[in-house]
Amino acid sequence: MFFKPAGEDKKRVGLIEELSPLVGELEEGSMAAVVTTDALAQTILQYSSLANALNSGITAYYLEPTNGFSLKLLSKLSENTENLFLGKIYTLDELSSALELVEDNSFVFVSNFSILENQSKEKLIKMRKTVDEKGLFLVLSHNTLEINELDLNSEFRRLFSIPELFEHLLVLRTSGYRGHYRMNISVLKAPLEFVKNIGEHSIPIDKKAKLFLV
């Protein structure tokens, strides 16, 4: 099947505003795989991206196999929760079924993706097809305390099976010193306009971090 290239009128959702100059934003029909190595990095990613979608008038869905969501934390970034929906998933089949049910052009954040059961290349490619057809913004995240920093490519293949399916491959870590905080980012893959930023970066993130630490 062939199609003419689309214009630049696609909707976009920023994962974390402070990161957008480095990696851009997530477009409709795009997927991001993000590894976080500490709870603060995961919290900032999760609530910033959901708030950005909701504040843009986009319906947002949060899916996970555990109990890791707080409306109180989301309210620090967005009071608009009317179009937010939560769900539990335990297998890749359940995630695929959920993506069939969500609204077209909606934002979907999946926490702890890598512990979902019944993953296979065929099912992941089917999931990718659904994201394309429905114009979804999909973030698959995983928070881990153990990651081989010397071979991040292999880590993404271990955690997400087919990293080539994603537009964004990111590792996020926070560090703090004397009340100041930084987000340390490994950019393994980004949209072509941001390919020059592939590599290691560190940016100040005081304001965002302190929102969740007070």
Side-chain angles (χ1 to χ4, degrees):
M1 178 179 287
F2 296 93
F3 57 91
K4 290 186 176 182
E8 296 299 320
D9 57 347
K10 284 187 176 182
K11 289 184 178 180
R12 292 174 170 81
V13 174
L15 298 177
I16 303 172
E17 297 90 325
E18 293 83 351
L19 266 64
S20 294
L22 286 176
V23 301
E25 297 177 318
L26 198 61
E27 290 187 351
E28 294 175 61
S30 296
M31 294 168 40
V34 187
V35 177
T36 57
T37 64
D38 59 89
L40 181 57
Q42 176 67 16
T43 299
I44 292 173
L45 169 70
Q46 179 173 307
Y47 294 103
S48 292
S49 60
L50 286 167
N52 289 339
L54 292 167
N55 291 337
S56 298
I58 296 171
T59 299
Y61 298 83
Y62 176 81
L63 303 170
E64 64 169 345
T66 56
N67 295 300
F69 191 84
S70 167
L71 280 175
K72 182 178 179 180
L73 291 183
L74 180 63
S75 69
K76 293 175 180 287
L77 298 174
S78 176
E79 294 293 339
N80 175 19
T81 59
E82 182 179 349
N83 294 319
L84 172 69
F85 299 89
L86 309 180
K88 284 294 189 69
I89 52 170
Y90 304 95
T91 69
L92 186 57
D93 291 324
E94 291 174 343
L95 173 56
S96 295
S97 296
L99 294 181
E100 295 285 354
L101 294 174
V102 304
E103 290 183 15
D104 288 4
N105 311 115
S106 58
F107 179 87
V108 183
F109 189 101
V110 181
S111 182
N112 290 309
F113 168 79
S114 299
I115 67 176
L116 299 183
E117 292 184 343
N118 301 331
Q119 295 196 30
S120 70
K121 288 188 176 181
E122 293 78 8
K123 292 175 181 178
L124 284 163
I125 291 171
K126 179 183 177 182
M127 180 187 70
R128 171 77 223 204
K129 184 178 179 181
T130 301
V131 170
D132 288 337
E133 291 176 342
K134 301 190 69 171
L136 303 178
F137 309 85
L138 178 63
V139 179
L140 304 184
S141 73
H142 187 70
N143 183 249
T144 179
L145 297 178
E146 296 181 358
I147 188 170
N148 183 358
E149 295 280 2
L150 299 178
D151 192 357
L152 293 178
N153 289 320
S154 294
E155 290 294 273
F156 272 93
R157 195 163 301 281
R158 176 177 67 87
L159 295 169
F160 298 98
S161 298
I162 316 179
E164 293 83 359
L165 291 177
F166 299 85
E167 280 75 22
H168 294 81
L169 297 176
L170 307 171
V171 181
L172 306 180
R173 322 158 188 81
T174 55
S175 59
Y177 181 70
R178 293 185 176 180
H180 294 286
Y181 298 87
R182 299 189 71 84
M183 180 74 77
N184 304 304
I185 311 112
S186 296
V187 182
L188 280 75
K189 187 177 181 182
L192 290 178
E193 305 95 295
F194 299 90
V195 69
K196 63 182 180 180
N197 294 327
I198 289 175
E200 302 297 321
H201 304 272
S202 181
I203 60 174
I205 200 163
D206 279 355
K207 184 177 179 181
K208 187 64 64 66
K210 289 175 181 178
L211 277 176
F212 298 105
L213 293 174
V214 296

